[in-house]
Amino acid sequence: MEAVVERGNMFRAYERVVKNQGAPGVDGLTVSEFKPWLQRHWIRLRQDLLSGVYQPEMVRKVEIPKPQGGVRILGVPTLGDRLIQQALNQVLQPLFDPEFSEFSFGFRPGRNAHQAVKAAQGYVAAGKRWTVDLDLEKFFDRVNHDVLMARVGRKVEDGRVLKLIRRYLEAGMMEGGVASMRTEGTPQGGPLSPLLSNILLDDLDRELERRRLSFCRYADDCNIYVGSKRAAERGMQAVTAFLEQRLRLKVNATKSAVARPWERKFLGYSMTWHKKPKLKIAPQSRKRFVEKIRKTMRDARSSSLKQVIERLNPVLRGWVVYFRLTEVKGVLEELDGWIRHKLRTLLWRQWKRVFRRARNLMKAGISKERAWQSATNGHGPWWNGGASHMNQAYPKSWFDRMGLVSLLETRQRFPSVS
């Protein structure tokens, strides 16, 4: 605990919490109010932590819709508790991380999702063309506190730290002024939760290594790669039993499967069936992206095209940076064309009147006769957004000049991943 409250460690934790911004917890304290609050309360906080009597505040319950349906429950701690959790994480991470499995990629320094995806591709290229795709049912809501604390206690001897972590696990959740207590689970939303999940699931990693299985794990997302369907079915049975009996976690049978790797997705990616498989964007990831673009454009329907593009660009850039490993680039070209079609359709809707449509087409270089024919053709906005007159008036080069991010061209700026 002395290492946790040490001045330099707390200052680094404070900088991280402020940089991350984030919503207030149950006390309503905002990031802009945090520094003066901390100056008034730090001496008492430090004393309570060192004496082992500090009691965390409840977390604020927030429900985030899941892409596949349902909701993910987040527990937003107060800024004071975020600070303490971050300081704890900075001391505990170097203690646990060096002994974690090399096949664990989530929430670890120097490791990321792209490394996990590339490792999975390597297994399939080596002939392991069956996968055990494991989905843990409500993992963060189902973590058994006793099982987790036993694993934390393997390396942490300071009773004050162990008590504090358990208090964070058991901190109640507030929703609409109503409090509910927790007897299991580690709520997502705090800086400590990712490390605790890795500490618990390290036992799974060790079991898979003991069985000499090839696997990639990113947080609670784990895929195992084997050479035959029979081996995959045996692996599914054995790993399910281990998770349920040893770690008291439940495998979601409806979302888990034994299948070919190209029939499943891992961290948003899938791959082709070729002997040297190529990474591609999973259909589910493309579908979620399309829905996000539709929502962004619906929200910006009354804005100018320039403002719509400014809202779209961060979404486009962030998505293609994550999916830059894709080696099947046709989907990016198709999506680029679809986005331009949507933007041309938006223009057509905004023009509304026949005279305005004809005038704008003429300003864009369409002949007077063709402009009037197009403006009065009787077809709807989507049809006109994809018609030759709008494509000629507003070609790709026009959108380039407007600054619209191209998914394909942004992807091509990255070094080859082959």
Side-chain angles (χ1 to χ4, degrees), residues 285-301 308-309 311-320 335-343 346 382 404-405 407:
S285 302
R286 175 180 172 164
K287 183 179 178 182
R288 288 198 294 271
F289 173 71
V290 165
E291 288 304 315
K292 189 168 187 177
I293 295 300
R294 284 189 172 128
K295 183 180 185 306
T296 302
M297 293 188 69
R298 276 197 306 269
D299 294 344
R301 188 172 289 176
V308 174
I309 289 173
R311 292 184 68 169
L312 279 177
N313 277 346
V315 178
L316 302 176
R317 195 176 288 113
W319 190 80
V320 77
L335 287 169
D336 275 336
W338 176 77
I339 291 164
R340 291 193 297 271
H341 189 164
K342 291 283 288 181
L343 290 170
L346 180 65
W382 180 251
L404 178 67
V405 167
L407 299 174

Side-chain angles (χ1 to χ4, degrees), residues 378-398:
H379 290 290
W382 180 251
W383 186 93
N384 277 285
S388 59
H389 54 271
M390 286 295 282
N391 276 276
Q392 182 181 331
Y394 301 97
K396 179 184 179 302
S397 58
W398 186 86

